[in-house]
Amino acid sequence: MGILTAFERALERRDPYAGGHAARVTAVAEAIADRLGWDNERLAVLRLGGALHDVGKLVVSPAVLQKPGPLTEEEVAEVRRHPAAGAQLVELVGLLRPALPSVLFHHERWDGGGYPTGRAGESIPPEARILAIADTFDAMTSDRPYRRALPPEAAVAEVDRCSGAQFDPDIARAFLDAWDCGAFGVTAALRAAAS
């Protein structure tokens, strides 16, 4: 078993709702990057980042990950530690280091209101900016312990609404273009295969 598969299985054991999440996030991220004209080398780094973006959730309590109601301030703080914890894990394995920016910065916001560092705009690595949209879209369109999934159209409208605040507007536009062209059919197939 490869290290990526081991991480994926460990995460899914801690959080059954994460089943297939990394694969769907990666598929959406690839569709966005394709619209942006990324080459194969950049796509390979993006795929690695997509596979590992939530690896830091291995340090988050399963009770917090699976909690059916609102999180306390302490629980929110625990969840918000996962990007830095994931970066520490990734840094230990030389072959995984190209994913470090994706893992550490995928919860940063274009307007600087994200975490863990509060980076803003183009100081956020482009892989992390793409994964921020892909991760948010999949989270919104997936059932969670605390809420039912949104219809995909509602999630797309939310990405559009948050363009320029939460999300890089150019990357949000690429996401919307990919959606309009039907590029996310693969995520529906991945979701069906995970069921």
Side-chain angles (χ1 to χ4, degrees), residues 6-99:
F7 279 145
E8 182 178 306
R9 287 184 183 168
L11 280 170
E12 288 179 6
R13 270 189 243 121
R14 290 181 78 72
D15 182 8
Y17 287 91
H21 173 69
R24 291 188 305 270
V25 167
T26 301
V28 171
E30 284 184 86
I32 295 168
D34 185 59
R35 301 303 276 176
L36 296 170
W38 282 26
D39 63 28
N40 287 334
E41 186 176 326
R42 287 185 86 186
L43 282 171
V45 172
L46 182 65
R47 284 185 200 108
L48 186 61
L52 292 168
H53 75 281
D54 275 342
V55 70
K57 286 187 177 177
L58 288 172
V59 304
V60 178
S61 162
V64 171
L65 292 174
Q66 298 173 32
K67 186 174 179 181
L71 300 179
T72 66
E73 285 182 35
E74 294 81 16
E75 291 166 336
V76 169
E78 182 178 348
V79 170
R80 287 186 171 202
R81 284 193 290 274
H82 86 269
Q88 289 174 338
L89 288 170
V90 166
E91 195 169 36
L92 295 173
V93 183
L95 291 173
L96 303 181
R97 284 191 191 130

Side-chain angles (χ1 to χ4, degrees), residues 81-82 104 129 147 187:
R81 284 193 290 274
H82 86 269
L104 183 58
R129 286 184 265 151
R147 63 147 177 79
T187 60

Side-chain angles (χ1 to χ4, degrees), residues 61-152:
S61 162
V64 171
L65 292 174
Q66 298 173 32
K67 186 174 179 181
L71 300 179
T72 66
E73 285 182 35
E74 294 81 16
E75 291 166 336
V76 169
E78 182 178 348
V79 170
R80 287 186 171 202
R81 284 193 290 274
H82 86 269
Q88 289 174 338
L89 288 170
V90 166
E91 195 169 36
L92 295 173
V93 183
L95 291 173
L96 303 181
R97 284 191 191 130
L100 192 61
S102 298
V103 172
L104 183 58
F105 300 120
H106 72 279
H107 281 293
E108 300 291 355
R109 291 175 47 115
W110 184 252
D111 63 9
Y115 62 91
T117 67
R119 282 185 180 215
E122 293 187 6
S123 71
I124 304 165
E127 296 86 356
R129 286 184 265 151
I130 288 175
L131 287 170
I133 292 175
D135 185 42
T136 301
F137 177 76
D138 189 68
M140 288 189 291
T141 57
S142 300
D143 286 335
R144 297 296 171 121
Y146 51 88
R147 63 147 177 79
R148 300 288 299 159
L150 290 177

